[in-house]
Amino acid sequence: MTDHPEGHNRPTSDSTSGNDMIDRPARIGQGGETHQPPDAAGPRMTTAHGVPVSDNQNTLRGGNRGPALLEDFAFREKIFHFDHERIPERVVHARGYAAHGFFECYESLSDITRAEPFQKAGQRTPTFTRFSTVVGNKGSADLARDVRGFATKFYTQEGNWDLVGNNIPVFFIQDPIKFPDIVHAAKQEPDRAFPQAQSAHDNFWDFISLMPESMHMVMWIMSDRTIPRGFRFIEGFGVHTFRLVNAEGQSTYCKFHWRPKLGAQSVLWDEALTINGADPDFHRRDLWDAITLANDPPEWELGLQLFDDDFADSFAFDILDPTKIIPEEEVPLRMVGRLVLDRMPDNFFNETEQVAFCTQNVVPGIDFTNDPLLQGRNFSYLDTQLKRLGSPNFTQLPINAPRCPVHNFMQDGHMQHRGPKGRANYEPNSWSPGGPRADAETGYRSFPEEISGPKRRIRPESFADHYSQARQFYRSQTPIEQDHIAGALVFELSRVETESIRLRMLSHLPNIDPDLAARVADGLGVDEPPEPAIPVVDPVDLPPSDALSILKKQKITFRGRKLGILATDGVDDALLDSLVAGVLAEGAIPALIAPRISGIVTAGGVRHKAMFQTEAAPSALFDAVAILASDAGVRQLTALHAARCFASDALAHAKMVAMTQPATELFACIGIEGRDAGMFLLEGAADVAPFLKACAELRYWPRIEG
Ligand code: HDE
C-alpha cells in the first residue's frame, strides 16, 4: 500500500450535477452523505488486489435509483471477504485473551535439561500466553464458573515449546477417549442449545456423577478457583508429568507450575453473577488495563516439581494419572524463572485467534511421559489446528512461526508463503546444494524409555483411587472456602432438573467428606440422602496441604487492585487527593465513580472526570470501595438506587469500605448503623493510610462468616 498525498474520499474540485454522480464520491445533500472526522485521512484505500478505491459509500448503480451492477468488483470483493471473516471457533477454550511477553531464567538448569530457555541465568525467551475459559462460546461472559486455560508459547532458538496448561492441576478424566464425552456433556445440550458457559445443567452432572474419576476435579471446579478475580490472579499448571532431559540423556520427571506474583485471588459467586452482567469482558479489560493503562505488566514465577523414578515408585499415586497432584509438601516447587506479560497483541484475530498451541511442540530437553491424556492431546491439538486454520501451513502465520531458522522439504499446500529455490525437495539427494539434513547429535531425540507388555484397552489399577485426593483438597481449605464449595454444589445441583441425577451426585460426597455431603443434601432439601457410592478403592485420609487453599497463602497487598471511589460534588479536596495518591502509591488503580459521568466538582472548585456513572459501576467491579460524599451530595446518593446497592453489596461481599461522615447517611438509609472493623471513617487525609493498610487484606471475612 502506498501513501497518497490527498488521502481518501476527497470530493473532486469540479462541480457535479445530480446526474453525473455515479463515478464520483457522493456529496452532502446528494443522498450519499457521510461524516468524516476532519483529520481521519490515512493512506489511499485499495481493493485486496491493490486497485485504488474511489468511493467506499455507494455501490455501482445503473441509473440514479437503478439496480446494483455485477461488475462492481470493489463491492463484490469487499462483501466476499466479509462473508469469510470467521474461522471455526475452538471446540473448547473458544473464549480467550492473550498477551506477548518474555520468560526470564533465574539460573542455569543445564544439569537437568538441555532445553534452550533454561541454559543461562538472565536469559530471556519471547513468549505469547493465551488465557481462556473452556466451556463457553467465543462471545460468552468472562466470569462463568469454569476452568481457565493458561497456554504459553515459548519462541526458543531450538523451536517453539508450547506449555498448554490450566489453572487447575488435575483433569476430569484419565483417558483421552472420554474427552469428547466430557466436552459434549459440559457444553450446551444438543436439543435446546443452552445453557451457555455453564456446568449447572443435567447433562454435565449426569456424566460427572457416572464418572468417579472426576471427583477430585469436581472439588477444584466447585472451589473459588473457577471464578478468578482476573487472569493476573490465577495459578497455572502443566497438569501432566513431563520429562526434562539433559545433554547426557539423563531424565528427571517434572511438573510445571505458574505462580502469580500478585497472589491468587477470586471473586465471590454473587459478585461473578453481577460482573457478568455489568462487564462481561471483566477479565479481558483487567489484563488490557494493567498492561496498556497502568503500565503494570503481570508476572508469574515458573516453579518445577522435580523427581526421579525412586520417588515415582514410592508415591501413593501413579505419576501418570492426570487426576492426581503431587503435594508440594512432598515435592516442593523450585522457582526457576519468571514470565512477564508486557505487550498486548496489535490485532486480536491475527494473534489471539490464530495462535495454534500444540502439546506436541516440545524442544530438545523436554519430553513426554506415558500419561495417557497427554498422549491423546498430542494427536488432538495438531489435528484441531488444521480444522481451524485450514492449512498445514498455519505454522507460517507470524504468531505461530518459530523465531529460529526453519529448514525442511515440506512444500506447497494452501497459503504457502515459503518459496524454496532449486531442485532438491527430498532427502537423501545428491544435489548441491542439497538442502537440509538431520543432525543425530543436536536434533531432538526421544528419551529411550523401555516399553513392553500386551496390547490391551485397560485402565491401570494404580489409577483406581478416586476419592482420597478429593478429600485432601476439601479438607485443606479454610472454612470460608469450604462454605463456597458447598454453596457451589448446591447452586449447580439445584439447576439439575432430574432428581435421580442430583441424588447420584450426592452419593459420591460422603466418600469425600460426610460433613460436605450433609451440607449439600441439606441445601437441596434432601431429607433422605442416598447410600454412598461404593468406591473401587477405599479413600484414605491424606495430610492437608496449605498450598491447595487460595486464602491460606494469600499475599497481603493491594498492589494491582482497584479502589472504587464513589464521590459527589463538594467533596473535600485534600481527602480526595490523598486517597488517590495513596492508592497509586500502593501500585493500585483509583476509579472515580460519580452520580453523572460528567464528573464532580470538589469543595475547592476542581472538576474531576468520572471513570463510571454510578448505575454502570456496581461495587462488585472493585476490590474495595470508598464513598466520599459531601453534606449536600449524600442526598443525591440516598436517592439513587444504584448508590444504595453499591454500599449494601460492598458490605455483603465483605469488602473493605471507607466513608466520609456525611456518607454514613447512605449506610443508615440501607439499615446499617455503626461500623465493623472492615469499615473506616475518613475524616481527613490522616485516615487514608489505615484504610489502605486494611485494603491489603482484600476482604473483611468476619462480616459474612457463619
Ligand atoms: Fe485441551 N484442547 N484437550 N486440555 N486445551 C484444546 O485445541 C484436548 C486438556 C487446553 O489457548 C483444543 O487449539 C484433549 C488438558 C488449553 O488456544 C483441542 C484433551 C488441559 C487449550 C484440545 C484435552 C488442556 C486447549 C481445542 C484430553 C490442561 C486452549 C482448540 C485428552 C493441561 C489453547 C485447540 C489455546 C485446547 C484437546 C485436555 C488445556 C480440541 C483431546 C488436560 C489451555 O485440541
Side-chain angles (χ1 to χ4, degrees):
M1 206 183 268
T2 51
D3 277 351
H4 189 278
E6 288 177 9
H8 64 84
N9 226 18
R10 294 220 160 77
T12 48
S13 56
D14 56 331
S15 74
T16 53
S17 73
N19 289 337
D20 66 353
M21 56 188 283
I22 291 168
D23 58 353
R24 293 176 196 279
R27 302 294 168 76
I28 291 175
Q30 293 179 336
E33 179 178 347
T34 59
H35 295 272
Q36 294 282 3
D39 298 323
R44 185 171 67 177
M45 183 182 279
T46 69
T47 66
H49 292 91
V51 177
V53 171
S54 64
D55 182 344
N56 191 34
Q57 315 301 331
N58 302 289
T59 46
L60 190 62
R61 302 269 172 92
N64 268 359
R65 299 172 60 244
L69 299 180
L70 199 57
E71 76 172 62
D72 186 351
F73 58 83
F75 164 73
R76 277 189 295 113
E77 186 198 68
K78 183 175 173 182
I79 292 293
F80 149 81
H81 199 278
F82 170 77
D83 291 345
H84 297 269
E85 272 178 9
R86 292 288 171 273
I87 60 173
E89 67 173 37
R90 291 165 173 83
V91 190
V92 281
H93 297 265
R95 180 165 177 87
Y97 210 55
H100 293 272
F102 61 86
F103 173 75
E104 187 177 81
C105 178
Y106 288 160
E107 56 180 323
S108 172
L109 297 183
S110 58
D111 55 330
I112 298 168
T113 175
R114 59 176 277 214
E116 196 264 339
F118 299 113
Q119 296 311 298
K120 277 200 307 277
Q123 183 182 345
R124 288 187 174 188
T125 304
T127 57
F128 189 68
T129 298
R130 183 174 180 272
F131 303 103
S132 47
T133 50
V134 181
V135 172
N137 293 350
K138 250 184 86 175
S140 54
D142 277 349
L143 261 160
R145 177 180 289 286
D146 200 354
V147 181
R148 298 299 181 291
F150 189 138
T152 298
K153 194 177 276 295
F154 295 73
Y155 301 93
T156 89
Q157 283 311 300
E158 293 209 292
N160 290 351
W161 169 38
D162 294 352
L163 182 54
V164 195
N166 278 344
N167 75 329
I168 287 180
V170 289
F171 202 62
F172 291 101
I173 48 169
Q174 295 174 323
D175 195 293
I177 203 167
K178 299 310 297 169
F179 190 67
D181 298 298
I182 172 74
V183 174
H184 287 176
K187 292 192 84 133
Q188 304 106 292
E189 300 191 5
D191 51 356
R192 60 209 68 188
F194 62 79
Q196 173 60 235
Q198 230 195 17
S199 53
H201 62 114
D202 288 47
N203 276 9
F204 179 74
W205 289 103
D206 184 30
F207 178 81
I208 288 292
S209 60
L210 294 166
M211 295 288 285
E213 70 201 56
S214 300
M215 291 306 142
H216 187 196
M217 181 78 169
V218 164
M219 287 296 102
W220 285 83
I221 59 168
M222 292 295 105
S223 81
D224 297 340
R225 301 261 173 176
T226 45
I227 41 172
R229 159 69 176 77
F231 300 128
R232 297 183 297 147
F233 305 94
I234 62 172
E235 298 184 341
F237 304 90
V239 176
H240 317 283
T241 300
F242 289 84
R243 283 178 189 279
L244 297 182
V245 184
N246 67 14
E248 284 75 49
Q250 290 156 338
S251 147
T252 307
Y253 292 118
C254 174
K255 279 193 181 264
F256 294 103
H257 298 247
W258 293 114
R259 285 290 149 89
K261 287 243 180 117
L262 294 172
Q265 186 187 336
S266 289
V267 301
L268 302 180
W269 178 237
D270 191 52
E271 290 177 308
L273 296 177
T274 304
I275 293 170
N276 275 342
D279 187 3
D281 305 299
F282 189 68
H283 287 165
R284 291 187 170 192
R285 197 183 305 280
D286 179 74
L287 190 63
W288 174 273
D289 285 355
I291 295 175
T292 63
L293 299 182
N295 194 20
D296 185 17
E299 288 189 24
W300 285 259
E301 282 197 301
L302 181 65
L304 307 184
Q305 280 185 300
L306 299 167
F307 54 96
D308 57 15
D309 279 311
D310 288 345
F311 173 83
D313 294 341
S314 66
F315 183 54
F317 301 94
D318 197 323
I319 61 145
L320 300 183
D321 177 353
T323 65
K324 304 297 185 299
I325 58 159
I326 299 177
E328 284 177 43
E329 288 74 10
E330 292 191 57
V331 180
L333 262 54
R334 175 166 165 190
M335 294 303 178
V336 298
R338 65 184 183 124
L339 173 72
V340 181
L341 301 188
D342 58 1
R343 184 165 65 84
M344 293 309 298
D346 291 328
N347 183 275
F348 179 86
F349 180 85
N350 280 359
E351 295 159 82
T352 310
E353 197 58 14
Q354 294 200 110
V355 66
F357 293 98
C358 294
T359 55
Q360 64 162 26
N361 288 355
V362 289
V363 296
I366 300 174
D367 206 337
F368 312 111
T369 60
N370 293 336
D371 176 338
L373 215 57
L374 176 58
Q375 307 257 322
R377 293 177 75 198
N378 286 345
F379 165 74
S380 176
Y381 287 66
L382 182 64
D383 186 47
T384 213
Q385 306 312 349
L386 182 62
K387 170 73 184 168
R388 281 198 326 111
L389 298 164
S391 157
N393 294 318
F394 72 83
T395 54
Q396 296 177 26
L397 293 171
I399 195 65
N400 296 321
R403 311 230 177 127
C404 62
V406 173
H407 299 292
N408 54 52
F409 290 115
M410 297 176 210
Q411 68 173 22
D412 304 350
H414 283 297
M415 309 295 165
Q416 178 59 260
H417 283 257
R418 286 202 197 106
K421 295 198 174 106
R423 200 165 178 182
N425 62 351
Y426 56 92
E427 192 268 346
N429 65 60
S430 59
W431 303 116
S432 180
R437 298 286 188 268
D439 181 338
E441 278 304 303
T442 59
Y444 186 94
R445 271 175 303 163
S446 298
F447 179 73
E449 184 181 357
E450 299 275 341
I451 296 173
S452 65
K455 194 195 287 182
R456 281 188 296 171
R457 293 182 183 273
I458 50 137
R459 192 76 58 89
E461 277 170 28
S462 53
F463 281 32
D465 178 348
H466 301 317
Y467 297 104
S468 297
Q469 285 204 345
R471 176 182 296 176
Q472 180 185 39
F473 179 81
Y474 181 71
R475 294 192 181 163
S476 300
Q477 307 300 308
T478 61
I480 296 161
E481 291 170 310
Q482 290 184 339
D483 280 354
H484 293 171
I485 294 174
L489 278 162
V490 170
F491 174 89
E492 296 269 318
L493 295 177
S494 74
R495 299 293 290 264
V496 169
E497 291 160 10
T498 310
E499 192 188 11
S500 59
I501 296 176
R502 282 204 293 271
L503 295 178
R504 198 190 308 128
M505 188 55 217
L506 278 180
S507 75
H508 292 285
L509 298 183
N511 294 335
I512 299 173
D513 185 272
D515 181 53
L516 172 67
R519 292 170 70 174
V520 178
D522 182 54
L524 294 169
V526 175
D527 296 331
E528 283 182 40
E531 285 297 309
I534 298 168
V536 179
V537 170
D538 283 336
V540 294
D541 289 340
L542 300 166
S545 161
D546 286 353
L548 302 180
S549 153
I550 293 179
L551 291 184
K552 284 184 191 168
K553 56 180 187 181
Q554 179 191 327
K555 296 207 172 161
I556 305 302
T557 175
F558 201 52
R559 177 145 188 234
R561 272 64 176 195
K562 211 177 229 181
L563 180 73
I565 306 174
L566 174 56
T568 68
D569 284 344
V571 67
D572 180 62
D573 293 76
L575 180 59
L576 179 62
D577 292 348
S578 56
L579 184 60
V580 168
V583 173
L584 292 172
E586 294 290 324
I589 299 176
L592 189 72
I593 307 142
R596 295 281 175 275
I597 189 66
S598 50
I600 56 156
V601 179
T602 61
V606 179
R607 171 166 286 283
H608 291 271
K609 279 192 206 154
M611 200 182 264
F612 300 100
Q613 178 149 327
T614 319
E615 290 87 342
S619 53
L621 298 181
F622 309 100
D623 297 283
V625 301
I627 302 182
L628 307 188
S630 63
D631 283 322
V634 75
R635 254 158 274 140
Q636 221 182 339
L637 296 187
T638 52
L640 205 56
H641 176 70
R644 296 196 301 272
C645 292
F646 186 93
S648 62
D649 283 354
L651 293 179
H653 298 148
K655 289 192 199 302
M656 298 295 170
V657 175
M659 66 199 80
T660 55
Q661 182 62 44
T664 57
E665 216 179 302
L666 178 65
F667 288 88
C669 155
I670 55 166
I672 306 292
E673 308 281 355
R675 284 185 301 278
D676 62 32
M679 298 167 78
F680 295 79
L681 193 63
L682 299 181
E683 291 190 290
D687 297 326
V688 165
F691 169 58
L692 290 180
K693 186 160 181 274
C695 285
E697 305 276 342
L698 299 179
R699 305 239 186 219
Y700 180 66
W701 292 112
R703 192 186 298 140
I704 59 170
E705 259 170 348

